[in-house]
Amino acid sequence: MKRVDVSTDEMAKFEGKWVAIDPDKQRIIAVSETLAEISPLVSGKVGEEKKIKAYSFKVPRKDEGPYVL
């Protein structure tokens, strides 16, 4: 996992990678090859949802459509 502080407007440069996005600031805060690497930022326990720091998104490549999980 690589920590970053980048605007979501620049998401295209992370195509094919998982990003963690801060929902309050709408900024990319981490980038990784796998969801497991950013899981500490995007997951939490039931009842502690407000402690989750970010949400995850896999940036599609130019030749792919959006991912639906």
Side-chain angles (χ1 to χ4, degrees), residues 22-59:
D22 182 323
D24 297 327
K25 298 177 184 175
Q26 290 299 306
R27 296 193 60 85
I28 300 169
I29 59 171
V31 179
S32 72
E33 293 292 327
T34 66
L35 178 58
E37 290 180 45
I38 61 171
S39 66
L41 299 174
V42 300
S43 61
K45 296 179 181 178
V46 174
E48 296 181 359
E49 289 85 358
K50 293 188 185 245
K51 292 182 181 181
I52 297 174
K53 298 175 188 167
Y55 56 88
S56 61
F57 180 74
K58 185 166 184 182
V59 182

Side-chain angles (χ1 to χ4, degrees), residues 2-15 17-23 25-32 38 41 54-55 57 59:
K2 178 181 177 185
R3 294 276 189 159
V4 294
D5 185 19
V6 178
S7 170
T8 54
D9 294 338
E10 299 178 41
M11 194 175 298
K13 67 182 182 180
F14 301 113
E15 63 183 37
K17 299 190 188 299
W18 285 93
V19 295
I21 301 172
D22 182 323
K25 298 177 184 175
Q26 290 299 306
R27 296 193 60 85
I28 300 169
I29 59 171
V31 179
S32 72
I38 61 171
L41 299 174
Y55 56 88
F57 180 74
V59 182

